[in-house]
Amino acid sequence: MVIKSAVVPVAGYGTRLLPATKSQPKEMLPVARKPIVQYVVEELVSNGIQQILFVTGRSKASIENHFDHDPELFRALQEANKQDMLKEVDFEDLKANFFYTRQPHQKGLGDAVLHGENFAGEEPFLVALGDSILGLNAVSRAVSRMVEVFDSKRASCVIAVEEVPAQETRHYGIVQPEEAADGVFRIVNLVEKPLPGEAPSNLAIAGRYIFSPVIFDMIRRVEPDRRGEIQLTNAIQLMCDEGRRVMAVKLSPEEKRYDIGNFPSYFESFVEFALADPEYGEGFRKVLERLVAKSAVTA
Ligand code: G1P
């Protein structure tokens, strides 16, 4: 089976990253050389995705511009004979089609996904959160493994999950496995952002989902939460309640998820990607060592 379509929600305000996100999308913040959303797109395309719908909002136009051809830049680079640069800024090689729609009101992740209904049609599709990179430099086969599980288990939904420390479960959707949770397992319940002590496990929903189109009816049945948001997690719970097969694929340690929704993880991701840069990584390592030694002396 192939899954060709992905819905990428990018409409959030990014309030935890203010003031950096006041007038630019958090998905456009650079992690070393590239904006976050470019890593996401490269990961999806390398896993067989051919068309991507961004669910955007006001002040997100730079995402659309980023993936578009820029004739002036193209001409300037060509005249300066900067062939390497030309390759870096042209996304035609990616062979993906980009679509855009706006979520006019911030009514939650479930509502954002619902904006992909006409795009997905009758086919299963992927949802990839635009602020999460899977794997260093977005090298990850997780989505391909999820597609295999979706097919072989005849699932209605497959979710990527990762282990998180117990005190962090309140930042994520947390899943309850049917039994022992090794690489692939069935999910029986999900809780969105449980308080410490109320989490059914330490396995967090990690920003990649595959859905059969039945998810759209489930989303429509979800009541808004106290902040008026339609939670995607609650729509998936309705699938479990109906006895539909909801499966999890656990990320391996080298498929670490870089969740760029807050400053500590943004800083860490930037430094890790910069250290891995083939051209500047080694020099940057020395700078970092010097800075760390200096701050240890002054502390
Ligand atoms: C969303 C989902 C949550 C998931 C998280 C992953 O939360 O609702 O279930 O674990 O993404 O990043 P958000 O980060 O949008 O609050």
Side-chain angles (χ1 to χ4, degrees):
M1 148 174 274
V2 278
I3 292 199
K4 289 185 285 194
S5 304
V7 174
V8 180
V10 289
Y13 289 134
T15 42
R16 283 174 292 167
L17 292 168
L18 281 169
T21 50
K22 180 163 181 256
S23 63
Q24 67 170 337
K26 69 173 165 180
E27 297 81 7
M28 285 300 291
L29 293 178
V31 173
R33 293 192 185 213
K34 301 175 191 172
I36 298 162
V37 71
Q38 186 177 335
Y39 291 106
V40 174
V41 165
E42 288 175 357
E43 173 213 327
L44 301 189
V45 170
S46 76
N47 282 277
I49 295 294
Q50 295 167 18
Q51 47 180 27
I52 297 174
L53 172 73
F54 289 101
V55 182
T56 73
R58 291 176 64 242
S59 80
K60 301 276 180 169
S62 58
I63 296 178
E64 200 168 334
N65 293 339
H66 186 72
F67 291 107
D68 195 9
H69 179 68
D70 180 339
E72 280 169 34
L73 179 63
F74 190 80
R75 214 173 309 119
L77 291 175
Q78 223 167 19
E79 278 167 15
N81 200 22
K82 299 229 155 89
Q83 298 303 328
D84 291 2
M85 286 281 168
L86 267 174
K87 266 178 51 199
E88 295 277 336
V89 296
D90 222 338
F91 296 104
E92 279 165 33
D93 284 356
L94 271 176
K95 304 225 177 332
N97 288 315
F98 298 106
F99 300 82
Y100 300 87
T101 190
R102 279 194 179 191
Q103 183 190 24
H105 305 286
Q106 296 253 323
K107 292 199 295 189
L109 184 56
D111 179 69
V113 171
L114 198 51
H115 281 71
E117 187 168 16
N118 287 338
F119 169 78
E122 300 298 314
E123 299 291 323
F125 64 102
L126 178 79
V127 170
L129 303 191
D131 63 358
S132 289
I133 302 171
L134 286 200
L136 185 61
N137 286 325
V139 176
S140 161
R141 303 305 298 159
V143 164
S144 297
R145 293 208 312 281
M146 291 166 69
V147 173
E148 275 163 37
V149 170
F150 186 84
D151 199 19
S152 64
K153 303 285 181 190
R154 295 165 184 244
S156 296
C157 169
V158 179
I159 308 174
V161 299
E162 63 173 351
E163 281 179 20
V164 295
Q167 68 275 17
E168 284 182 23
T169 56
R170 67 197 161 87
H171 300 303
Y172 301 105
I174 302 293
V175 306
Q176 180 179 350
E178 185 178 42
E179 16 183 86
D182 50 4
V184 175
F185 55 90
R186 187 166 180 172
I187 295 170
V188 286
N189 281 304
L190 310 93
V191 191
E192 183 65 13
K193 306 196 171 83
L195 294 170
E198 288 173 14
S201 76
N202 67 339
L203 294 162
I205 300 174
R208 300 289 181 272
Y209 315 72
I210 293 174
F211 290 115
S212 98
V214 80
I215 189 64
F216 298 117
D217 283 335
M218 304 290 153
I219 295 172
R220 268 189 282 272
R221 280 168 44 194
V222 170
E223 294 290 330
D225 66 11
R226 58 190 164 77
R227 292 166 57 205
E229 295 195 353
I230 310 278
Q231 294 298 343
L232 184 59
T233 303
N234 295 347
I236 305 170
Q237 178 67 51
L238 291 178
M239 284 181 156
C240 295
D241 295 347
E242 283 195 349
R244 292 176 187 275
R245 206 179 280 270
V246 176
M247 303 296 298
V249 168
K250 201 167 144 189
L251 298 179
S252 63
E254 56 282 5
E255 278 169 341
K256 174 177 168 184
R257 180 170 76 112
Y258 299 86
D259 166 21
I260 328 252
N262 55 68
F263 280 118
S265 71
Y266 176 53
F267 293 166
E268 185 182 333
S269 305
F270 194 109
V271 169
E272 201 173 333
F273 279 56
L275 284 170
D277 189 278
E279 194 177 351
Y280 300 114
E282 210 27 60
F284 179 57
R285 182 183 310 279
K286 297 199 177 95
V287 172
L288 206 57
E289 280 166 1
R290 180 162 45 78
L291 292 175
V292 169
K294 196 169 132 199
S295 71
V297 171
T298 43

